[in-house]
């Protein structure tokens, strides 16, 4: 059909009411939460763009798959369905369910890293970085230079700087047990990695004898970007592009809470037999037996069904366009965002927007809190609070101070998004009223989740 309007490729069968609050109620809620939106009660949020992780709406087919869940401790039918779907998609020999992505990361890194190792990536996500650092190893970001320039438009800003990767492998290769690439690159703005770049990483891993693992949380969105932007892929199905992506790697970590279209779950997959034995042994210790890995049988069913739906072209066209639609509105109004729009989120450049708030006064937190107070919208800082504290206790500004507006899958309609755009534009217009913050209390790792903040005078 040749109409311009891209519609939601579903109709709504069940709804959940959202609660409207007054400004005074939001002020009280945020104060009680120590000015950290992670500590709010979700019911005090009108539109929740904190994350696209586990927040999607499952389909009627997923809910009916839930009823088919086989809860046998060992060898459950649901595991075999899950395994078949993941194997068809990824081709990996060993498929190990985990309760979510970070459990897969912990198992992979705990069984393969030692102190002093280095794990390169385009950009490590926070849990990936933390799971590497907790082993005494270093998480090194090697995204291309274009990926560090928010306003620059480039089709594949998630690409790995292959020259920097080769330099690392030449100079410190004995400290690199594996190479990772995150598709799409969440911390770098939800930007895709091209197939050509993934082939380049594969070639370097072959040359230097290193295993190549994908952080595959948003593989389907990445596949769709390749279809739209990379020569030779326009006529391919997203699924066949995804299969090609996985075929280049030796394994992956996956949070099924994103492109698994499920509310919980994940997996670790790989070809190496010895690594898989070590991973399964640790899995049994902390997650569960290898045919459920911390999940219920019904979760495995929901993920299997979700992985089949997520590569549907009508879904991905709507998904990528609806994120871009929000981006277009903000760009048109002059709000600085990472361009082009990411797959799962729009990232406002808070450092650029709030030049009067220095990075160590957390411009991202300032904008996040301003947006919540103004409109009841919850977003998240991806900046100096998330990445600025180092294992040695020092603090420096992160590469960027961003505010992510993550779009849950199949949850909000176009009018919700119109409301979000209107609110963001209004808060940006009144930016002079937004001030900085300081941290009152925070833990030593992953401090953004539980830190408490105080407004600077
Ligand atoms: N890798 C990436 C790229 C992620 O975005 C996430 C989670 C993980 C790994 C960890 O997966 O949450 O299932 O343990 N990202 C969420 C977010 C939390 O909001 O971006 P998990």
């Amino acid at each position: 059909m040749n109409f311009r309007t891209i519609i939601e490729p579903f109709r709504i069968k069940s709804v959940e009411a959202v609660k409207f609050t007054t400004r005074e109620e939001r002020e009280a809620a945020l104060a009680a939460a120590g000015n950290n939106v992670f500590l709010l009660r979700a019911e005090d949020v009108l539109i929740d763009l904190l994350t696209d992780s586990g927040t999607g709406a499952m389909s009627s087919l997923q809910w009916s798959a839930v009823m088919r869940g086989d809860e046998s401790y060992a060898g459950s039918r649901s595991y075999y369905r899950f395994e078949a779907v993941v194997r068809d998609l990824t081709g990996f020999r060993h498929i190990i369910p985990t309760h979510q992505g970070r459990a897969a990361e912990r198992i992979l890194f705990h069984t393969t890293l030692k102190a002093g190792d280095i794990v390169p990536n385009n950009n490590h996500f926070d849990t990936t970085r933390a799971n590497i650092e907790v082993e005494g190893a270093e998480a090194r970001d090697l995204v291309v230079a274009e990926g560090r320039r928010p306003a620059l438009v480039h089709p594949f800003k998630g690409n790995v700087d292959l020259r920097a990767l080769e330099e690392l492998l030449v100079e410190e290769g004995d400290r690199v047990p594996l190479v990772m690439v995150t598709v799409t690159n969440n911390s770098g703005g939800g930007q895709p990695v091209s197939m050509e770049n993934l082939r380049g990483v594969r070639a370097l891993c072959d040359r230097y004898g290193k295993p190549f693992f994908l952080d595959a949380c948003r593989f389907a969105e990445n596949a769709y970007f390749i279809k739209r932007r990379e020569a030779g892929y326009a006529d391919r199905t997203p699924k066949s592009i995804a299969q090609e992506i996985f075929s280049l790697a030796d394994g992956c970590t996956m949070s099924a809470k994103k492109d698994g279209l499920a509310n919980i779950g994940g997996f670790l997959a790989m070809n190496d037999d010895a690594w898989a034995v070590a991973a399964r042994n640790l899995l049994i210790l902390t997650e569960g037996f290898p045919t459920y890995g911390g999940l219920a049988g019904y979760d495995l069913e929901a993920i299997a069904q979700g992985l089949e739906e997520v590569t549907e072209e009508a879904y991905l066209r709507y998904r990528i366009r609806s994120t871009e639609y929000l981006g277009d509105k903000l760009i048109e109004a002059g709000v600085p965002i990472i361009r082009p729009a990411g797959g799962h989120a729009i990232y406002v450049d808070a450092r650029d927007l709030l030049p009067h708030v220095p990075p160590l006064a957390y411009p991202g937190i300032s904008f996040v809190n301003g947006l919540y107070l103004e409109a009841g919208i919850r977003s998240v800082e991806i900046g100096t609070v998330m990445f600025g504290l180092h294992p040695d206790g020092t603090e420096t500004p992160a590469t960027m101070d961003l505010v992510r507006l993550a779009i849950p899958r199949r949850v909000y309609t176009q009018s919700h998004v119109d409301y979000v755009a209107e609110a963001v534009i209004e808060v940006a217009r009144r930016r002079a009223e937004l001030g900085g913050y300081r941290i009152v209390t925070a833990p030593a790792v992953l401090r953004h989740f539980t830190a408490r903040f105080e407004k600077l005078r």
Side-chain angles (χ1 to χ4, degrees):
M1 281 179 278
N2 276 328
F3 293 107
R4 276 188 56 245
T5 307
I6 295 172
I7 62 168
E8 286 83 358
F10 49 79
R11 53 186 179 171
I12 295 168
K13 190 170 224 166
S14 175
V15 298
E16 184 180 8
V18 290
K19 187 176 102 183
F20 291 86
T21 51
T22 63
R23 172 132 197 154
E24 290 68 40
E25 286 168 337
R26 291 193 293 278
E27 277 170 0
L30 192 60
N35 293 302
N36 183 350
V37 293
F38 273 106
L39 303 179
L40 287 171
R41 283 173 179 255
E43 62 181 4
D44 292 330
V45 174
L46 181 65
I47 295 187
D48 204 344
L49 308 184
L50 180 70
T51 178
D52 63 318
S53 181
T55 53
M58 292 217 295
S59 67
S60 54
L61 288 177
Q62 284 178 290
W63 282 112
S64 52
V66 163
M67 285 306 294
R68 288 200 306 266
D70 172 1
E71 304 306 336
S72 304
Y73 187 95
S76 115
R77 183 182 64 233
S78 301
Y79 171 74
Y80 289 108
R81 179 181 181 206
F82 165 85
E83 186 194 41
V85 170
V86 176
R87 174 144 323 115
D88 174 49
L89 185 66
T90 67
F92 295 131
R93 193 169 329 149
H94 301 284
I95 292 149
I96 301 169
T98 59
H99 79 271
Q100 59 184 87
R102 70 197 68 180
E105 292 161 11
R106 193 188 82 86
I107 290 169
L108 175 66
F109 297 139
H110 192 68
T111 53
T112 60
L113 301 190
K114 58 181 187 319
D117 282 349
I118 303 169
V119 181
N121 203 327
N122 40 3
N123 286 111
H124 290 271
F125 187 63
D126 61 351
T127 59
T128 321
R129 172 175 298 281
N131 273 298
I132 290 168
E133 290 176 351
V134 82
E135 303 296 337
E138 179 193 336
R140 195 171 292 180
D141 291 339
L142 298 180
V143 75
V144 288
E146 291 87 343
R148 298 175 204 261
R149 294 173 55 195
L152 182 84
V153 177
H154 179 279
F156 291 106
K157 288 172 85 171
N159 282 354
V160 175
D161 182 338
L162 295 176
R163 192 174 307 171
L165 178 59
E166 179 150 30
E167 220 170 87
L168 172 68
L169 293 173
V170 168
E171 284 164 19
E172 298 172 283
D174 51 338
R175 293 170 63 197
V176 179
L178 72 154
V179 173
M180 284 200 89
V181 178
T182 306
V183 293
T184 57
N185 188 22
N186 185 9
S187 306
Q191 301 292 319
V193 182
S194 71
M195 196 73 84
E196 187 189 11
N197 191 254
L198 292 168
R199 272 193 222 106
V201 173
R202 172 77 266 168
L204 288 175
C205 286
D206 285 342
R207 190 166 321 145
Y208 295 94
K210 301 297 175 190
F212 171 17
F213 273 68
L214 292 163
D215 178 340
C217 302
R218 299 178 181 86
F219 72 93
E221 291 170 5
N222 201 98
Y224 191 71
F225 279 121
I226 288 175
K227 179 178 170 77
R228 297 302 299 269
R229 296 181 185 172
E230 191 162 351
Y233 289 92
D235 296 328
R236 293 267 300 274
T237 62
K239 181 176 170 182
S240 79
I241 298 172
Q243 286 168 322
E244 186 176 337
I245 292 174
F246 284 112
S247 76
L248 294 169
D250 300 299
C252 72
T253 56
M254 170 78 189
S255 168
K257 302 172 74 171
K258 285 85 168 173
D259 278 349
L261 297 179
N263 300 125
I264 195 71
F267 56 85
L268 171 62
M270 61 185 72
N271 289 328
D272 189 272
D273 297 332
W275 278 22
V277 168
R280 285 203 176 95
N281 287 341
L282 184 57
L283 183 87
I284 292 176
L285 196 63
T286 59
E287 291 273 303
F289 191 74
T291 61
Y292 73 87
L295 295 171
Y298 55 69
D299 295 321
L300 294 167
E301 293 278 352
I303 296 166
Q305 178 64 31
L307 287 172
E308 295 200 318
E309 292 175 12
V310 78
T311 55
E312 283 169 12
E313 187 154 348
Y315 162 74
L316 285 168
R317 183 192 308 123
Y318 140 82
R319 170 73 179 158
I320 297 303
R321 175 57 199 154
S322 51
T323 306
E324 183 187 51
Y325 172 82
L326 174 59
D328 285 351
K329 288 196 161 216
L330 299 186
I331 291 168
E332 198 179 308
V335 178
I337 65 166
I338 292 196
R339 300 178 66 180
H344 66 294
I346 294 299
Y347 296 68
V348 176
D349 185 346
R351 191 176 292 174
D352 186 25
L353 187 67
L354 305 178
H356 57 286
V357 180
L360 293 178
Y362 314 130
I365 297 296
S366 175
F367 192 79
V368 164
N369 289 351
L371 186 60
Y372 174 70
L373 292 173
E374 185 67 25
I377 297 165
R378 178 156 66 171
S379 53
V380 70
E381 190 245 25
I382 300 211
T384 300
V385 174
M386 191 178 275
F387 293 117
L389 184 67
H390 307 291
D392 65 2
T394 59
E395 186 184 35
T396 56
T399 319
M400 299 189 266
D401 274 294
L402 303 172
V403 169
R404 187 182 71 173
L405 306 162
I407 317 291
R409 294 170 180 77
R410 307 190 291 204
V411 169
Y412 293 115
T413 64
Q414 187 167 349
S415 55
H416 288 118
V417 174
D418 287 337
Y419 172 88
V420 170
E422 195 181 332
V424 170
I425 291 165
E426 176 61 15
V427 175
R429 192 179 66 77
R430 302 208 332 245
R431 71 188 85 175
E433 296 166 26
L434 300 176
Y437 284 84
R438 71 174 198 93
I439 291 179
V440 185
T441 57
V445 280
L446 295 173
R447 62 177 177 169
H448 50 290
F449 289 123
T450 54
R452 298 182 75 86
F453 300 89
E454 194 175 76
K455 251 189 176 154
L456 293 171
R457 329 223 141 253

